[in-house]
Amino acid sequence: MECGAEPPAVDHDKWRLYEAYNELHGLAQEFDTPFDAPAVLVVGHQTDGKSALVEALMGFQFNHVGGGTKTRRPITLHMKYDPDCEAPICHLVSDDDPIVAHQKSLHEIQAFIEAENLRLESESSQFSAKEITIRVEYKYCPNLTIIDTPGLIAPAPGGKNRVLQGQARAVESLVRAKMQHKEFIILCLEDCSDWSNATTRRVVMQIDPELSRTVIVSTKLDTKIPQFARSSDVEVFLLPPSCALDGIVLGDSPFFTSVPSGRVGSGHDSVYKTNDEFKEAIALREKEDVTLLEEKLCRPLAEKEKVRIGVSKLRTFLEELLQKRYMDSVPLIISLLDKEYRSTTRKLNEIDQELSNLDEVTLKEKGRAFHDLFLTKLSLLLKGTVVAPPDKFGETLQDERINGGAFVGTNGHQFPQKLIPNAGMRLYGGAQYHRAMAEFRFVVGGVKCPPITREEIVNACGVEDIHDGANYSRTACVIAVAKARDTFEPYLHQLGSRLLHILKRLLPISVYLLQQKDGEYLSGHQVFLNRVSSAFNNFAESTEKACREKCMEDLVSTTRYVSWSLHNKNRAGLRHFLDSFCGSDQPIMGGNLGSGGLSQDSTFGSLSNERQDNKPRPDVKLSQLASGVDSSSCIQGTEARLVDLLDCTLWNRRLAPSSERIVHALVQQIFHGIREYFLASAELKFNCFLLMPVVDKLPVLLREDLESAFESELDTVFDITNLVHSLSQRKRDAEVELRRIKKLKEKFRVVHQQLILQQSKPDIKTGESDTK
């Protein structure tokens, strides 16, 4: 049908079919029903000419077009051919009440769309998935439902373009969601002269990889024709091989369109005074494109080539394609409407049942039953189950660290995820709790004692209250407990935060199991559910805090007083170190006290040069001293060693390397003893005082809270007044939906019967029926 030419008459049955599908699309949008009418979804990048092409298909201008982002909400156009409408009659569907549609002029609709674009441009989201719905009746209008989407954005890389990159992701997400509807025919717009540049197809093929429900349109043909120097280039452009398009598209090959620039209006910058002039310009542009192509090719275009050139050819193809989809889908739509009618009827009966059960005794029984079932699901999640879908409720270790906090040491490093068992699995409940505990053991069990500086050793020596000698065993204790306290306390808080996060996640999963799996969810009783949620979360938080305080008491006690039987877990290792140390420093201990006086300024390491004897005594290790060897040489050697030991560790304030190594060894032993005790104590206490109370204390506390609320005032628990109002509103909505579904179902039944009759009518020429 040429733009500006009188369209062919549409029979009454097809008109009723289009009208029924328009109502079906509105019903699906309004009530979020699981069916949708076939429609054409226009997808393209900014400046591809999307909105201009939609206007050309409709035969009049109404949209906000131009460079940059001019469409920030999808625009759904229900177009219906009406031979009596000399001018477009448009109705704008209300955003607040989809049943209400206000008649608007083209200027008012354009002003509304521009205002919406400006409003969204100033908001943080920038775009909205909520559709602007317009119903159009016009004698030059095709019977189509077209959805114009926001233009895809191709931002430049780099940090300075982050805002635009965020907008690009938002638009692509919105368009991808629209393309998910299997009933939609995707109109993929490409503004390119080389089919290897798949700019829009890249996005479309993520949803429709075979392009089986995609029509490809090359826009702005009038600007591309002059770019071709050879006729062979034009041939490839008009009929690209299937490998170049990466699929078999609807219509077998692309369509090519040109929309003349210029707006309709009475202003000085308007090019066309009326929409009729706009339609005539479209038809003229189409003829000129054919002429220019034939000149480039040096031959006339074949008929199969002409049917793909121009807006009118694209409109005819889309209308016929959509009409076939309409007719093929009628039986399926009737079946879906029947199913939705039964579902809505059942929902209405459930609402009536809830309204009749709003008495005190019934509500208390429902509350107690929900309490028992909730605790059952809670226990099931801790023991282990596969009922809840992991893709919806599970968390990988990375997700868990982000949402519940990570175990981070004083150096700011995290334990590598790949070393934690099941790190990549999406877990919940008891399995997630166990993984968190395992990570805690891995992390804390591998913590090493922080470095010790010489300044810390000297500062820790201090001055005793009765003498000014250096007590290096006390020094080691002071350093070790300080290091241990600073190192392990953050892990305690991190463990509490992580396990509390895991326990709190049990609540929504349990409610899901009651709602989706068992059908025991108290729909409408949001106040009651909020009370249960609040009680559970308060219990979890208070229990975690009490448990953490118990663990903190243990940490404080083990870092306040050093008990060697507890802190020195590896005495054999320390003794071996001291024995080897004494062996390597044998000349230090073997000197004759009489050969030279004790030097107050000598260091533990310099004694080897200052106290050598011509008759060195046999090497006597500390182990021999402890075993009580009573030979006179050993006793004399031991006495000499003790004097040297006192000189180096008690009377001498100059820190020698040997003294430093002894302090290091003692600190390491004490620190590791504290670590082992802290790790075992924390794990045991969190299991006993956080996990177990969920099993044995929570049921009692929840029941007491519930019964106390029942005794005080039932309305505070169930909010009966608001509940009656909410249920009444839901009942009214369900009744409206039921009436609309029933009316629509009858329309489709009538259309279906008419189609069957038409197919069974005998052919006038052959005398045979269409179905034969």
Side-chain angles (χ1 to χ4, degrees):
M1 180 178 66
E2 295 291 336
C3 291
E6 188 72 23
V10 178
D11 60 73
H12 185 65
D13 293 332
K14 288 183 179 178
W15 197 348
R16 295 177 66 176
L17 176 67
Y18 300 141
E19 185 180 31
Y21 267 109
N22 285 346
E23 290 186 24
L24 178 67
H25 185 87
L27 184 71
Q29 290 291 320
E30 181 180 348
F31 292 103
D32 196 24
T33 46
F35 48 75
D36 206 347
V40 176
L41 185 75
V42 185
V43 178
H45 278 76
Q46 284 183 356
T47 70
D48 278 353
K50 284 188 309 78
S51 300
L53 179 61
V54 171
E55 290 181 335
L57 288 170
M58 297 181 66
F60 60 88
Q61 294 183 352
F62 71 97
N63 209 342
H64 186 196
V65 299
T69 302
K70 298 300 183 184
T71 303
R72 296 186 178 272
R73 283 177 62 180
I75 302 174
T76 299
L77 301 159
H78 295 300
M79 298 182 288
K80 188 168 67 174
Y81 165 73
D82 188 342
D84 298 327
C85 292
E86 295 293 337
I89 298 178
C90 303
H91 289 82
L92 181 63
V93 177
S94 171
D95 284 343
D96 300 325
D97 188 356
I99 300 178
V100 179
H102 303 284
Q103 185 171 343
K104 300 284 185 180
S105 67
L106 294 179
H107 177 73
E108 290 174 331
I109 288 178
Q110 184 174 356
F112 175 79
I113 294 173
E114 290 181 4
E116 280 296 287
N117 289 337
L118 290 174
R119 178 183 66 84
L120 289 170
E121 189 175 359
S122 62
E123 293 183 359
S124 58
S125 58
Q126 295 273 315
F127 298 90
S128 172
K130 185 175 178 60
E131 296 177 2
I132 297 174
T133 304
I134 304 171
R135 299 172 186 166
V136 183
E137 297 178 21
Y138 189 31
K139 68 180 299 182
Y140 299 114
C141 215
N143 288 290
L144 291 175
T145 295
I146 293 184
I147 304 173
D148 187 15
T149 61
L152 297 167
I153 304 172
K160 63 181 180 180
N161 297 308
R162 287 176 182 171
V163 175
L164 195 59
Q165 291 165 4
Q167 294 180 13
R169 289 190 293 270
V171 173
E172 183 169 331
S173 176
L174 187 154
V175 173
R176 282 165 57 94
K178 291 293 181 185
M179 289 192 293
Q180 294 286 354
H181 293 269
K182 301 297 183 182
E183 301 84 1
F184 288 177
I185 298 166
I186 302 172
L187 201 64
C188 174
L189 272 56
E190 295 278 17
D191 181 13
C192 62
S193 55
D194 184 356
W195 289 112
S196 61
N197 296 323
T199 52
T200 305
R201 274 175 292 147
R202 176 190 62 80
V203 180
V204 171
M205 291 181 69
Q206 295 175 20
I207 306 299
D208 183 21
E210 301 298 327
L211 299 176
S212 58
R213 56 186 179 96
T214 299
V215 178
I216 295 180
V217 180
S218 175
T219 58
K220 305 178 183 179
L221 177 62
D222 54 335
T223 65
K224 297 183 177 63
I225 296 175
Q227 300 176 18
F228 297 110
R230 296 177 300 178
S231 60
S232 59
D233 295 335
V234 182
E235 297 278 4
V236 174
F237 180 64
L238 291 180
L239 192 61
S242 58
C243 60
L245 298 178
D246 303 307
I248 306 300
V249 298
L250 288 175
D252 297 329
S253 61
F255 285 81
F256 303 88
T257 62
S258 297
V259 179
S261 59
R263 305 302 293 169
V264 175
S266 57
H268 67 280
D269 56 345
S270 299
V271 178
Y272 311 107
K273 294 181 179 180
T274 64
N275 283 306
D276 289 336
E277 290 186 12
F278 175 59
K279 293 193 294 289
E280 291 172 359
I282 295 173
L284 180 60
R285 181 70 262 172
E286 185 173 319
K287 293 177 181 178
E288 292 176 351
D289 286 344
V290 172
T291 302
L292 289 173
L293 286 171
E294 289 178 340
E295 291 177 356
K296 284 284 184 180
L297 292 170
C298 301
R299 65 171 178 84
L301 289 175
E303 190 61 32
K304 67 176 183 180
E305 294 172 326
K306 286 184 178 180
V307 296
R308 293 182 285 109
I309 307 297
V311 173
S312 66
K313 303 302 189 296
L314 175 62
R315 176 165 54 186
T316 301
F317 174 79
L318 291 177
E319 191 170 7
E320 291 175 353
L321 180 61
L322 208 57
Q323 178 181 321
K324 186 178 184 304
R325 293 286 181 96
Y326 282 166
M327 293 184 174
D328 292 344
S329 301
V330 166
L332 177 62
I333 292 298
I334 293 175
S335 175
L336 289 174
L337 285 170
D338 284 334
K339 181 180 178 181
E340 192 65 22
Y341 185 85
R342 292 191 299 270
S343 175
T344 306
T345 303
R346 183 171 59 252
K347 182 168 62 175
L348 190 59
N349 293 334
E350 291 174 354
I351 294 173
D352 288 333
Q353 184 67 30
E354 285 190 55
L355 284 170
S356 64
N357 288 336
L358 292 181
D359 61 279
E360 182 176 335
V361 176
T362 305
L363 288 175
K364 287 184 178 180
E365 290 178 355
K366 291 176 71 173
R368 295 187 182 106
F370 180 86
H371 165 271
D372 295 339
L373 289 170
F374 169 71
L375 292 174
T376 301
K377 298 301 179 185
L378 206 64
S379 176
L380 182 65
L381 289 172
L382 288 175
K383 293 177 181 178
T385 181
V386 295
V387 180
D391 57 340
K392 184 174 183 179
F393 294 106
E395 283 186 336
T396 63
L397 183 59
Q398 179 66 24
D399 298 331
E400 188 179 321
R401 286 178 172 181
I402 293 173
N403 300 324
F407 295 117
V408 181
T410 53
N411 57 1
H413 296 163
Q414 295 185 31
F415 201 77
Q417 292 187 41
K418 61 183 180 180
L419 301 179
I420 306 297
N422 305 323
M425 294 187 179
R426 295 171 294 188
L427 305 182
Y428 55 78
Q432 188 177 10
Y433 181 94
H434 185 272
R435 182 178 64 187
M437 269 300 184
E439 185 186 4
F440 177 73
R441 287 194 299 271
F442 270 102
V443 174
V444 176
V447 171
K448 303 297 183 183
C449 181
I452 306 168
T453 65
R454 293 171 60 85
E455 287 181 344
E456 288 178 325
I457 296 176
V458 173
N459 278 313
C461 287
V463 177
E464 296 284 350
D465 58 353
I466 199 170
H467 68 89
D468 62 353
N471 185 346
Y472 285 118
S473 62
R474 180 189 179 281
T475 299
C477 293
V478 170
I479 295 174
V481 296
K483 296 284 185 182
R485 176 73 175 269
D486 293 341
T487 301
F488 297 125
E489 184 175 354
Y491 287 117
L492 190 58
H493 294 282
Q494 293 164 11
L495 178 63
S497 175
R498 177 77 73 85
L499 297 183
L500 179 62
H501 163 72
I502 293 171
L503 290 182
K504 283 188 173 182
R505 293 186 66 243
L506 298 177
L507 178 65
I509 304 176
S510 300
V511 173
Y512 167 82
L513 295 180
L514 291 173
Q515 180 183 11
Q516 301 293 331
K517 301 297 182 180
D518 298 345
E520 298 292 342
Y521 185 70
L522 292 175
S523 59
H525 298 278
Q526 195 59 46
V527 176
F528 173 80
L529 295 174
N530 290 341
R531 188 181 187 93
V532 173
S533 300
S534 178
F536 175 80
N537 288 329
N538 291 338
F539 171 81
E541 291 172 3
S542 61
T543 306
E544 184 274 331
K545 181 180 178 182
C547 177
R548 182 162 34 86
E549 289 175 351
K550 291 179 184 294
C551 294
M552 196 64 202
E553 289 178 359
D554 279 353
L555 180 61
V556 170
S557 63
T558 195
T559 56
R560 184 175 182 181
Y561 187 83
V562 175
S563 176
W564 292 103
S565 61
L566 175 66
H567 292 74
N568 186 17
K569 292 293 185 181
N570 191 2
R571 293 189 181 186
L574 180 60
R575 183 180 297 278
H576 177 74
F577 168 78
L578 293 176
D579 283 350
S580 63
F581 169 77
C582 294
S584 63
D585 288 343
Q586 182 269 336
I588 299 174
M589 297 302 186
N592 190 336
L593 289 173
S595 62
L598 287 173
S599 172
Q600 292 287 337
D601 295 330
S602 63
T603 65
F604 204 57
S606 63
L607 291 177
S608 58
N609 297 324
E610 298 177 4
R611 304 176 184 276
Q612 292 186 2
D613 192 89
N614 293 330
K615 297 178 181 180
R617 298 184 181 275
D619 182 23
V620 180
K621 297 187 178 181
L622 294 181
S623 57
Q624 291 176 317
L625 175 64
S627 62
V629 179
D630 56 358
S631 64
S632 60
S633 61
C634 287
I635 293 175
Q636 292 176 1
T638 298
E639 291 175 350
R641 297 173 200 280
L642 287 175
V643 174
D644 287 345
L645 184 62
L646 290 173
D647 181 32
C648 294
T649 62
L650 182 61
W651 301 328
N652 189 5
R653 284 279 174 162
R654 180 177 296 175
L655 186 62
S658 53
S659 303
E660 186 178 351
R661 292 202 301 273
I662 290 177
V663 173
H664 272 274
L666 289 174
V667 170
Q668 294 281 350
Q669 291 299 120
I670 298 170
F671 183 88
H672 292 161
I674 295 174
R675 182 191 64 193
E676 297 301 318
Y677 180 80
F678 167 75
L679 183 60
S681 173
E683 182 175 1
L684 182 63
K685 279 186 167 52
F686 270 98
N687 287 335
C688 291
F689 299 112
L690 179 62
L691 181 62
M692 293 309 298
V694 175
V695 178
D696 51 31
K697 290 185 178 181
L698 178 62
V700 178
L701 292 175
L702 280 182
R703 176 55 67 92
E704 290 178 354
D705 180 75
L706 201 61
E707 295 299 333
S708 174
F710 285 165
E711 293 297 327
S712 59
E713 187 178 356
L714 193 65
D715 191 58
T716 61
V717 181
F718 288 100
D719 196 10
I720 298 175
T721 303
N722 287 334
L723 184 59
V724 170
H725 180 269
S726 174
L727 289 173
S728 300
Q729 183 62 44
R730 285 172 54 198
K731 181 179 180 180
R732 288 191 293 270
D733 293 342
E735 289 172 343
V736 171
E737 183 179 1
L738 196 64
R739 286 195 297 269
R740 292 185 64 182
I741 293 174
K742 183 178 180 180
K743 179 183 176 182
L744 197 55
K745 186 172 64 171
E746 292 303 317
K747 279 190 175 184
F748 272 97
R749 287 192 188 281
V750 172
V751 170
H752 185 52
Q753 292 171 359
Q754 293 297 327
L755 290 174
I756 294 175
L757 288 175
Q758 287 181 2
Q759 291 174 357
S760 61
K761 285 181 181 179
D763 191 292
I764 296 176
K765 294 180 180 180
T766 63
E768 297 179 349
S769 66
D770 295 340
T771 57
K772 187 173 179 179

